[in-house]
Amino acid sequence: MSSAASSVSAAYDTVLRRNPGELEFHQAAKEVLDSLMPVVERHPEYLDAGILERICEPERQIIFRVTWMDDAGRVQLNRGFRVQYNSVLGPYKGGLRFHPSVRLGTIKFLGFEQIFKNALTGLPIGGGKGGSDFDPKGKSDAEVMRFCQSFMTELHRHIGAETDVPAGDIGVGGREIGYLFGQYKRLHNRYESGVLTGKSPAWGGSLARTEATGYGTVIFAQQMLKTKNRSLDGARVIVSGSGNVAIYATEKAQQLGATVVGLSDSSGYVYDPDGIDLELIKQIKEIERGRISDYVARRGGRAELRTSGKVWDIAREEGGADVALPCATQNELDENDVRSLLDGGCAAVAEGANMPCTPEAVELLHQNGVLFAPGKAANAGGVATSALEMQQNASRDTWTFDYTADRLEQIMVNVHEQCAQTAEEYGKPGDYVLGANIAGFTKVADAMLALGVI
Ligand code: NDP
Ligand code: 2IT
């Protein structure tokens, strides 16, 4: 084994030894480390400074108890997390996820991905992530508020506009960010707008932040398709999930002339051959907090609810699927799903979610020449627009929707360009996984070298 290969393998062994049982984190770390062999061959200075091991170890991991009272007056208990992963490029930056499946390893995998994603945006933000195993589903507004207040009562001492800036993720949207901000403000007696992003534009948030992740994912997909002289105009698109990212990926795909024929949630999926009715899904998901089944009940026409199988099965329907956008959660698209997509003639997959495709699925997509955009590149528009929100807060300014959306578009075009160029430079044209991992890693590693042994 070359010394580069043995160093990469030693770094991965350390990840396994230090983080037993954290399978999602192992998966994310392996994917990045596997891409780095040619980099450390060219740059032995990274090995001499121990960068591979250091970059896999969070700077700080915070775990705390969150106690709150439900509407019936019973005491409820959850666990809160914040993993402050890497701050060489700027304050820790990354969302909060509230979902019953959240464990330390979940937050670590998300925080690790965030380091490289944030570096790719070219904006001054480090990487972090947080959350809780709290399940907002079925809770009243008052319960969500009390949970958020209790969560922030501990978290506030660890964050700040120059320290660590959380935002939303699964289960955390505008409502939760409002309650979290209110409690932070109360505890500090400071209107520190830049301590959280994803705020409502009515009180310090940025226009276009709500749309940014989904829009950015579709802009990235469009850039990839362009390299093959194709486009989203006239394409049939399947989107998974029906939350923030899925809804705005649908909106942008429709604006570019595509027909989105499927959406899902954790209880099933809809096949809507005439194309998703965007206003109806927004009403049901964003306002009523309803289910995909409510959409089908009200949509009528040819829309069908399916409660077995997966949304990717739609690729086997007449008309197939040209593009797939997984926008729900990790490991939701596997090898079998890729086989369905291949049968349906799929040309591109862009990850709106974080790590939604299994490693085997990615391998099969690559083998079959399907364009594939990894989440750390394709969904970077959300955090990039969060950084634009921080800029507006720091300058006490507000920008128009169009100006902010234009900046987002430029950033996504640039992220695509960096990934494509880096893949080419390393002899693997079209390999966006390699391109994203190497381009993101190099920026962080160079800053780590410059800042010394800290
Ligand atoms: P939301 O909470 O708004 O929506 C999540 C959607 O995914 C819902 O439809 C939900 O269905 C579904 N889902 C979540 N978990 C599961 C699960 N375990 N099994 C099946 N379906 C599931 O979250 P977002 O749209 O914000 O986030 C979606 C993905 O995008 C996540 O991977 C997130 O990390 C990533 N992301 C989000 C960004 C953002 O700005 N919000 C930025 C970059 C990436 P149900 O309601 O039934 O649970
Ligand atoms: O995964 C992500 O990039 C996010 N959830 C958004 C993070 C942010 O700080 O806007």
Side-chain angles (χ1 to χ4, degrees):
M1 220 194 277
S2 70
S3 87
S6 62
S7 302
V8 167
S9 143
Y12 185 57
D13 288 346
T14 305
V15 166
L16 297 180
R17 179 171 51 77
R18 282 224 171 93
N19 308 278
E22 295 178 348
L23 302 182
E24 291 161 339
F25 175 49
H26 301 168
Q27 182 183 334
K30 183 163 182 11
E31 189 219 75
V32 171
L33 289 170
D34 281 351
S35 297
L36 296 181
M37 200 94 77
V39 184
V40 293
E41 263 162 12
R42 281 190 203 183
H43 296 280
E45 68 274 19
Y46 293 149
L47 296 183
D48 297 341
I51 299 286
L52 294 187
E53 265 94 1
R54 282 162 62 192
I55 213 164
C56 292
E57 182 68 13
E59 289 174 13
R60 191 173 296 107
Q61 305 180 55
I62 302 146
I63 304 181
F64 52 98
R65 186 176 74 185
V66 187
T67 317
W68 55 282
M69 204 167 270
D70 68 19
D71 288 345
R74 283 183 303 250
V75 174
Q76 298 285 344
L77 175 70
N78 288 100
R79 187 174 275 187
F81 303 94
R82 187 73 184 167
V83 173
Q84 299 182 328
Y85 224 118
N86 193 301
S87 61
V88 287
L89 294 179
Y92 308 106
K93 182 81 196 88
L96 296 171
R97 176 176 293 191
F98 292 170
H99 192 275
S101 64
V102 166
R103 303 286 177 270
L104 178 60
T106 323
I107 301 301
K108 235 186 252 173
F109 116 66
L110 290 161
F112 183 74
E113 291 283 288
Q114 201 80 45
I115 305 171
F116 308 104
K117 180 195 306 192
N118 293 5
L120 284 171
T121 68
L123 296 165
I125 40 180
K129 198 86 187 189
S132 173
D133 57 3
F134 173 73
D135 185 359
K137 242 183 251 141
K139 303 288 190 298
S140 70
D141 260 7
E143 288 175 325
V144 170
M145 182 180 75
R146 287 196 293 273
F147 172 80
C148 288
Q149 290 178 338
S150 184
F151 184 85
M152 186 53 89
T153 301
E154 171 61 30
L155 186 69
H156 80 100
R157 69 191 83 245
H158 307 290
I159 64 174
E162 308 294 337
T163 312
D164 182 355
V165 182
D169 194 82
I170 291 176
V172 177
R175 173 183 61 171
E176 291 73 19
I177 294 292
Y179 296 148
L180 291 164
F181 185 77
Q183 183 71 353
Y184 183 90
K185 191 175 76 63
R186 176 156 74 162
L187 290 164
H188 286 245
N189 192 29
R190 280 162 63 87
Y191 204 101
E192 195 183 332
S193 298
V195 70
L196 289 169
T197 62
K199 301 179 295 295
S200 162
W203 48 271
S206 174
L207 292 167
R209 175 61 188 90
T210 304
E211 294 82 356
T213 310
Y215 275 25
T217 301
V218 173
I219 294 166
F220 197 103
Q222 181 81 326
Q223 290 300 114
M224 285 200 303
L225 288 164
K226 219 163 129 185
T227 66
K228 304 278 179 205
N229 293 318
R230 294 187 59 156
S231 93
L232 278 155
D233 194 15
R236 260 169 72 99
V237 178
I238 306 175
V239 178
S240 66
S242 47
N244 172 265
V245 181
I247 287 175
Y248 291 96
T250 300
E251 181 164 294
K252 188 58 155 186
Q254 291 181 345
Q255 286 170 5
L256 295 177
T259 305
V260 176
V261 293
L263 282 177
S264 64
D265 64 21
S266 58
S267 43
Y269 73 90
V270 52
Y271 174 47
D272 193 347
D274 300 317
I276 293 295
D277 178 337
L278 192 65
E279 290 318 307
L280 180 59
I281 193 72
K282 280 186 183 175
Q283 169 69 27
I284 288 168
K285 286 288 174 180
E286 294 187 325
I287 297 168
E288 299 170 18
R289 298 180 185 276
R291 311 296 301 155
I292 204 79
S293 50
D294 303 328
Y295 171 87
V296 178
R298 276 149 69 178
R299 168 78 164 137
R302 296 197 290 162
E304 283 172 39
L305 177 69
R306 300 192 180 155
T307 51
S308 65
K310 288 165 85 172
V311 69
W312 315 116
D313 298 344
I314 291 175
R316 294 186 186 274
E317 299 284 341
E318 199 186 325
D322 302 296
V323 174
L325 304 174
C327 297
T329 193
Q330 61 270 19
N331 292 325
E332 54 158 319
L333 195 162
D334 64 19
E335 282 165 283
N336 283 331
D337 304 321
V338 173
R339 289 192 191 98
S340 304
L341 294 176
L342 291 170
D343 284 349
C346 181
V349 176
E351 294 187 326
N354 285 306
M355 207 168 75
C357 297
T358 65
E360 297 76 19
V362 176
E363 175 73 27
L364 200 55
L365 290 166
H366 276 154
Q367 279 168 13
N368 285 278
V370 177
L371 294 162
F372 173 70
K376 64 172 74 68
N379 70 39
V383 75
T385 309
S386 277
L388 302 182
E389 183 171 330
M390 291 163 71
Q391 285 184 31
Q392 291 169 76
N393 293 152
S395 58
R396 300 185 186 278
D397 197 2
T398 55
W399 303 345
T400 64
F401 184 93
D402 288 349
Y403 176 75
T404 316
D406 282 351
R407 297 261 332 242
L408 164 66
E409 177 149 3
Q410 285 162 23
I411 290 166
M412 292 314 297
V413 169
N414 186 264
V415 172
H416 174 270
E417 199 53 35
Q418 279 179 75
C419 297
Q421 269 177 15
T422 307
E424 193 132 347
E425 193 187 318
Y426 279 84
K428 290 262 187 93
D431 186 337
Y432 291 93
V433 174
L434 192 88
N437 287 341
I438 295 181
F441 169 81
T442 309
K443 286 184 190 195
V444 181
D446 288 344
M448 287 173 77
L449 284 182
L451 268 60
V453 180
I454 53 171

